[in-house]
Amino acid sequence: MILFLATLTAFFFGFLVTPIIIFFFRKNNVLDAPGGRKIHKGMTPSMGGISIMLATFIGLATWLSFDQMATTRYFLIAMGIMFTLGLRDDLVELTALQKLIGQCIAAFLVIGMADIRVTSFYGFLGVYEIPLAVSYFLTFFTIIVLTNAFNLIDGLDGLAGTISTITLTFLGWWFITAGMLPYGIIAFTMVGAILSFLLYNWHPAKIFMGDTGSLSIGFVLSVLVILFIDKNGTMLGAEGFKYSAPIASGVALLIVPIYDTARIFTKRVLNGKSPLAPDKSHVHHFLLRMGLGHDQVAYVLGTVKLLFIGLIFLGQSYNDHVMLPIVVLSAVTLGLVLDRYTLIQIIKINKTKPTVLSTRITKKAYKKPALSKEVLDREKLNMN
C-alpha cells in the first residue's frame, strides 16, 4: 500500500507542478532554442527535472519512515547534490571539470558512506574478492560513466523518461522481492514522478527535463543498478529472486545508454575525432533519419529494453560466463542490423526526394513581379 501511495503522491504532485514550471519559464523567456545538436522545433522550456525531483522528494518525505530515511540518507543527500548540479548547469553552464567534481562528491557519499559498491566479480573469470581500492575505483568509474551515458540519450521527446520508467519499475519490483523496501519505495516514487512528467514531455514536448532531470535520473539508475548487481552476487537464492549472472543482468538493465555510448565513442575514435565531441550520431538520431517520429523511437528503444529484461529472466540460472557474452553479442548484433536497416531506409528516402536541378524555376514558371501604379507613373515622369 505504501508503494502505491508513494507513487501516486509523486505522480499527482508532478502533474500539478509541471504546468506551473512551464508557465513560469515561458513568462520569463527561459527557453531552449533549437539549432545545432538540438532537433526540436520552436522555443521550449527546459529544466523539467525540477518537477521530477521535487515530486520524488515530496513522495519520499511523505511515505518513507524515519528508519527508512536513516538507512538511505546518504543516497538521498547524493540525489539532492546531483539535482543541484544539474540545475546549476542548466542555468549557468558548468565546465566539464566542475561537473565531474560534483558527480564525484555525490558518488563518494553512496560509496564511502552508504557502502553501495561493487565488492566482487562474483566468480566471473574466477575472481571473487577484489581489493578495497579496486572496489572503490571501479564503482566510482561505473557511476560516473553510467550517469553521463544516460544523460546522452536525453535527445528526443519522451525517450529518457520511457527508458528510465521501465528500468526503475523492474528495479523497484526486484528490491521489494529482495526485502529492500526503502530502495523499492525510492524506485517506485521516481516512477510516479517521471510518468507525470511524460504527460508533458511526450511528442510534441511542452517541456524538456534538461540536465536537471537527466543527470539526477542517470545517477539514481547507476547507483540502484550497482546495488542490484552486488546484492545479486552476494545473496542466497532463498533471499529473493536471484540472478546467477549479476554483471550481465546489470548491463542488460542499462543496455540502451551503454550501447549508445560505446558505439559513438568507438566510431569517433575510428574516424579520428575526439570521443567527447558532440554530434548527431546517437542511435535515436539514426532512427529519426529512418523516418520514425519521436514517439516511435521511444517505443522502439523501450521495446529493446524490455527484450533484454526478458533475456535475463530466461537466463536467470546461468552465470556471467554464459550470459555476459550473450547480452553483449545480442546488443552488438541488434545494433549492426539496426544500423544497416537504417542506412537502407535513408537511401530509399533520399531517392524519392526531388533533385536540386529538378526544382529549378523554368522560364514558363517564372513570372515578373508586378509593379504598382505609383511606381509606373513615377518612371514615366522621369523619362519625360
Side-chain angles (χ1 to χ4, degrees):
M1 191 64 179
I2 291 177
L3 290 171
F4 174 74
L5 292 174
T7 306
L8 201 62
T9 300
F11 177 84
F12 276 112
F13 185 85
F15 178 76
L16 294 174
V17 79
T18 304
I20 299 173
I21 293 173
I22 294 172
F23 173 78
F24 174 81
F25 285 141
R26 285 198 174 278
K27 186 175 182 181
N28 292 277
N29 201 33
V30 183
L31 304 171
D32 197 14
R37 293 183 299 116
K38 299 174 181 178
I39 57 178
H40 63 275
K41 297 178 181 179
M43 304 290 282
T44 308
S46 186
M47 290 183 278
I50 294 175
S51 66
I52 295 174
M53 296 308 294
L54 284 180
T56 300
F57 285 128
I58 290 294
L60 294 177
T62 305
W63 297 107
L64 277 181
S65 68
F66 181 80
D67 289 339
Q68 290 169 339
M69 282 190 180
T71 302
T72 59
R73 63 189 183 279
Y74 295 115
F75 181 35
L76 296 176
I77 294 170
M79 285 171 59
I81 290 174
M82 290 301 295
F83 166 64
T84 307
L85 184 70
L87 180 61
R88 168 63 193 275
D89 189 45
D90 280 332
L91 291 172
V92 182
E93 189 172 354
L94 299 171
T95 65
L97 179 60
Q98 289 172 328
K99 289 172 72 172
L100 180 61
I101 292 172
Q103 292 171 14
C104 286
I105 293 172
F108 170 76
L109 283 172
V110 296
I111 298 169
M113 306 303 292
D115 199 33
I116 298 174
R117 56 190 174 89
V118 177
T119 59
S120 168
F121 280 177
Y122 318 107
F124 182 59
L125 300 178
V127 179
Y128 286 90
E129 295 299 323
I130 57 176
L132 184 63
V134 175
S135 171
Y136 272 63
F137 173 79
L138 183 60
T139 310
F140 259 108
F141 179 78
T142 304
I143 289 176
I144 301 302
V145 169
L146 292 180
T147 298
N148 289 284
F150 183 82
N151 188 36
L152 291 176
I153 70 167
D154 181 30
L156 291 184
D157 299 347
L159 177 58
T162 300
I163 297 298
S164 58
T165 297
I166 294 171
T167 308
L168 286 167
T169 300
F170 171 84
L171 287 170
W173 163 80
W174 188 85
F175 284 128
I176 299 304
T177 63
M180 304 173 72
L181 182 61
Y183 292 100
I185 294 174
I186 291 172
F188 277 115
T189 303
M190 184 164 272
V191 167
I194 295 172
L195 285 176
S196 69
F197 173 76
L198 275 175
L199 295 176
Y200 303 95
N201 182 241
W202 202 252
H203 188 70
K206 299 178 179 66
I207 189 170
F208 305 136
M209 67 169 62
D211 283 352
T212 310
S214 60
L215 282 178
S216 302
I217 296 173
F219 177 77
V220 170
L221 285 172
S222 63
V223 173
L224 291 183
V225 166
I226 288 172
L227 183 59
F228 165 83
I229 291 171
D230 190 62
K231 182 64 176 176
N232 263 286
T234 56
M235 70 189 289
L236 299 174
E239 294 182 78
F241 200 91
K242 178 180 173 63
Y243 291 91
S244 301
I247 299 174
S249 300
V251 171
L253 287 177
L254 291 176
I255 193 63
V256 174
I258 289 174
Y259 172 77
D260 182 56
T261 302
R263 174 180 170 276
I264 60 174
F265 271 47
T266 302
K267 285 196 169 187
R268 288 171 186 172
V269 170
L270 292 176
N271 292 328
K273 298 179 180 179
S274 169
L276 301 176
D279 57 22
K280 291 184 179 180
S281 60
H282 294 278
V283 171
H284 52 267
H285 290 134
F286 266 65
L287 292 173
L288 273 183
R289 293 190 191 104
M290 210 173 91
L292 298 179
H294 287 235
D295 50 350
Q296 292 171 316
V297 174
Y299 288 136
V300 168
L301 293 180
T303 302
V304 169
K305 169 61 75 69
L306 290 172
L307 289 174
F308 275 88
I309 289 177
L311 181 62
I312 63 174
F313 267 107
L314 292 174
Q316 176 203 355
S317 60
Y318 296 102
N319 61 24
D320 278 312
H321 293 99
V322 176
M323 289 303 297
L324 191 56
I326 290 176
V327 169
V328 173
L329 288 175
S330 298
V332 172
T333 303
L334 183 61
L336 291 174
V337 171
L338 190 62
D339 279 358
R340 178 64 179 169
Y341 183 70
T342 302
L343 289 173
I344 292 173
Q345 290 299 111
I346 291 172
I347 291 171
K348 286 182 179 179
I349 292 170
N350 288 336
K351 282 183 177 179
T352 60
K353 288 183 178 180
T355 62
V356 175
L357 291 176
S358 66
T359 59
R360 288 177 61 184
I361 300 175
T362 62
K363 289 184 178 180
K364 290 183 179 180
Y366 177 75
K367 292 183 179 180
K368 291 183 178 180
L371 298 176
S372 66
K373 187 176 182 300
E374 294 180 0
V375 174
L376 290 172
D377 291 341
R378 186 163 56 250
E379 289 297 321
K380 287 179 181 178
L381 290 172
N382 290 338
M383 289 176 68
N384 291 333

